Amino acid sequence: MEKVQLNTTKSALTGEITVPGDKSISHRAVIFGSLAKGTTTITHFLDGEDCLTTIKAFQAMGVRVEQKEDKVVIQSDGIAGLKEPFMPIDLGNSGTTARLLLGVLAGLPFHTTLFGDQSLTIRPMDRIRDPLLEMGAQIDGRNNGSYLPIAVRGQSLTGITFYPPVKSAQVKSGVLLAGLLANGETSVIETTKTRDHTENMLTAFGGEIAVEGNKVTVQGKQSLTGTEIEVPGDISSAAFFIVAALLVPGSELTIKNVGLNPTRTGLLDVLQEMKADLSITETKRMGGESIGDIKIKYSELIGADVAGDVIPRMIDELPILALLATQAKGKTVIRDAEELRYKETDRIASVVNILNTLGGKVEATKDGMIIEGETPLSGGQADSDGDHRLGMMIAIASLICQDEVILTNADAIKISYPGFFEDLATLQSN
Ligand code: SPQ
């Protein structure tokens, strides 16, 4: 358990930064690069533990993947070239790898066993198991395959029309990936649109996909061709420095080349409502993704009501928003976010517990939380509990705590942002 004493400097954050590659897009680039025939080159890949897990999974199926820091080269013989793994595959902490890979494995002609770490082992897999079973998959595991460890015996699948009962890009993506291998047509019809990187990337690899509003349709048995993917900076990682700049007086910074896909920018919309001084400039579009720069300045904020369709567009940013809300004038209410309970930790319970330990006034509700602002934070010892986003939230909280903050289980941050502390130090030393 790595223990880090934080709060050594409270300097303003200034200057320019580029954050590591988007985690969701990096995972998908490896998955599609492995399913495609030929060579795929990925630049600005996220060299974090979760995405390395996806690489290892496909290497175990015989795909040739070379990775050096943020550059990845994949050579694959396509779907038909994938081979039965020799050993069970360890998915570590990565929910994205688990749900998307299950979709792929369901339609491959071999047997695979998947397992993960303690946190992943208690995250629900029935949400992806159920539509896959409907397509003809053969899946078994703990509690009938509701949880890892799970064994899959690949089958010939048939396309379905699926209405996901949960708002989840992982479930949509897993079903679309299975649909690519299936006979016939597969449609996913969402009530609220979730992140659409799978859809964008399928097109980049020469696949066909029809998107009409919240309905996405793929034809089965498509063949994909290797390509070049440049991964934009991860807005979910940028969020920690955006919030830090808003919280620490005198801060003014620019985050360059951030992914601005509208299915991911809910935080920016909410910050504008809270009166944050921020400007967004789109600089380019690549592989269906919008990319640009975000400028942000220290601001005095007001609380907000955060609910409805914006929630899936900022689901991973809700913990850091909760920290910010402790310093905004008035109350912030987060609703419709019950999905937070099924992440690396129960992010409603853990955010409330951490912020209250540090001196905040936050109340958990069934599907969100109520945060009383402007509450000065004191400090104390807080545990990431193995959740990378909580580790970074605690680190940013320490910038405004009056007393010392000790972060335990700091190592978890490497899951999505291995150079987080170095980048924070750089912004504080400008
Ligand atoms: O991979 P993992 O652990 O599920 O990652 C998280 C995160 O905080 O990094 C959630 F815990 O992000 C998910 C996100 O919450 C990544 C994701 C994707 O790449 O498709 C979609 C969201 O999850 P879901 O369950 O809403 O589909």
Side-chain angles (χ1 to χ4, degrees):
M1 189 204 298
E2 201 202 350
K3 209 178 204 182
V4 178
Q5 185 183 334
L6 302 164
N7 210 20
T8 45
T9 163
K10 287 176 189 227
S11 335
L13 288 85
T14 56
E16 254 181 39
I17 193 175
T18 310
V19 291
D22 187 274
K23 178 159 86 65
S24 297
I25 297 179
S26 296
H27 279 301
R28 286 155 172 85
V30 172
I31 295 173
F32 280 110
S34 300
L35 298 180
K37 253 195 190 137
T39 305
T40 292
T41 311
I42 312 170
T43 48
H44 203 53
F45 173 78
L46 171 60
D47 183 15
E49 285 171 8
D50 269 13
C51 296
L52 299 181
T53 290
T54 298
I55 290 186
K56 283 184 207 137
F58 283 95
Q59 283 173 328
M61 289 185 266
V63 180
R64 298 174 297 285
V65 187
E66 275 174 40
Q67 180 251 340
K68 202 165 176 238
E69 291 159 5
D70 69 350
K71 180 142 195 242
V72 178
V73 180
I74 303 176
Q75 273 162 328
S76 174
D77 301 326
I79 294 164
L82 296 174
K83 293 183 186 68
E84 185 168 75
F86 185 61
M87 300 276 286
I89 298 179
D90 183 356
L91 303 181
N93 190 251
S94 180
T96 307
T97 315
R99 274 75 174 248
L100 272 61
L101 196 59
L102 278 166
V104 174
L105 295 173
L108 292 175
F110 50 72
H111 175 270
T112 320
T113 304
L114 305 175
F115 69 100
D117 70 6
Q118 202 177 340
S119 152
L120 191 59
T121 303
I122 54 168
R123 291 179 70 184
M125 295 297 148
D126 49 350
R127 51 183 57 201
I128 180 68
R129 176 204 59 189
D130 290 347
L132 294 177
L133 290 181
E134 211 183 310
M135 295 174 83
Q138 197 178 318
I139 295 173
D140 201 358
R142 197 161 60 86
N143 199 353
N144 293 320
S146 299
Y147 300 100
L148 296 174
I150 284 179
V152 184
R153 165 134 339 254
Q155 299 293 316
S156 165
L157 304 176
T158 309
I160 55 167
T161 297
F162 180 57
Y163 295 83
V166 286
K167 292 173 183 132
S168 162
Q170 294 175 354
V171 171
K172 171 176 66 176
S173 302
V175 172
L176 292 175
L177 284 163
L180 273 182
L181 307 180
N183 295 303
E185 189 174 279
T186 296
S187 295
V188 180
I189 304 171
E190 298 186 289
T191 50
T192 305
K193 197 175 177 72
T194 60
R195 64 189 71 185
D196 60 359
H197 308 301
T198 300
E199 294 90 310
N200 295 338
M201 199 161 287
L202 180 56
T203 312
F205 278 86
E208 272 180 40
I209 184 152
V211 181
E212 298 160 62
N214 292 351
K215 178 178 179 186
V216 186
T217 305
V218 288
Q219 300 298 329
K221 306 287 179 197
Q222 293 194 42
S223 49
L224 307 175
T225 312
T227 189
E228 285 176 17
I229 299 284
E230 187 183 327
V231 182
D234 196 329
I235 191 163
S236 298
S237 299
F240 294 97
F241 296 132
I242 292 174
V243 167
L246 288 169
L247 286 173
V248 183
S251 297
E252 182 166 357
L253 70 97
T254 303
I255 310 181
K256 308 275 288 178
N257 290 324
V258 187
L260 294 175
N261 180 321
T263 61
R264 297 283 300 280
T265 50
L267 176 72
L268 303 180
D269 296 351
V270 170
L271 291 179
Q272 271 160 341
E273 221 184 292
M274 294 172 82
K275 305 275 178 252
D277 186 346
L278 85 122
S279 69
I280 306 152
T281 318
E282 187 181 321
T283 52
K284 54 182 168 182
R285 283 192 71 84
M286 254 177 352
E289 300 286 341
S290 152
I291 298 165
D293 301 340
I294 300 172
K295 274 193 179 163
I296 191 100
K297 262 190 198 164
Y298 168 76
S299 310
E300 287 187 7
L301 302 172
I302 53 168
D305 205 351
V306 186
D309 285 359
V310 78
I311 295 290
R313 297 176 53 232
M314 59 178 302
I315 188 77
D316 298 335
E317 288 68 74
L318 289 169
I320 193 67
L321 177 78
L323 167 68
L324 184 68
T326 64
Q327 305 308 306
K329 234 186 211 106
K331 208 180 259 184
T332 293
V333 182
I334 299 173
R335 290 182 285 117
D336 303 324
E338 200 175 348
E339 268 299 304
L340 283 177
R341 296 202 181 272
Y342 307 102
K343 302 297 179 186
E344 284 84 329
T345 56
D346 172 343
R347 285 182 180 161
I348 293 179
S350 41
V351 165
V352 169
N353 176 36
I354 292 168
L355 293 179
N356 287 341
T357 300
L358 298 178
K361 288 186 196 144
V362 188
E363 186 193 321
T365 60
K366 192 175 138 279
D367 64 349
M369 51 195 109
I370 301 168
I371 305 133
E372 291 290 341
E374 287 174 282
T375 311
L377 298 185
S378 44
Q381 179 160 323
D383 196 334
S384 79
D385 214 4
D387 186 330
H388 51 130
R389 304 221 183 269
L390 299 185
M392 289 185 274
M393 183 194 75
I394 296 165
I396 299 301
S398 77
L399 304 178
I400 53 158
C401 282
Q402 283 150 5
D403 309 323
E404 182 181 84
V405 175
I406 308 272
L407 164 64
T408 48
N409 270 314
D411 264 356
I413 292 174
K414 292 185 188 142
I415 285 166
S416 66
Y417 202 155
F420 172 78
F421 285 111
E422 289 79 358
D423 284 353
L424 177 59
T426 304
L427 288 172
Q428 290 190 299
S429 65
N430 285 327

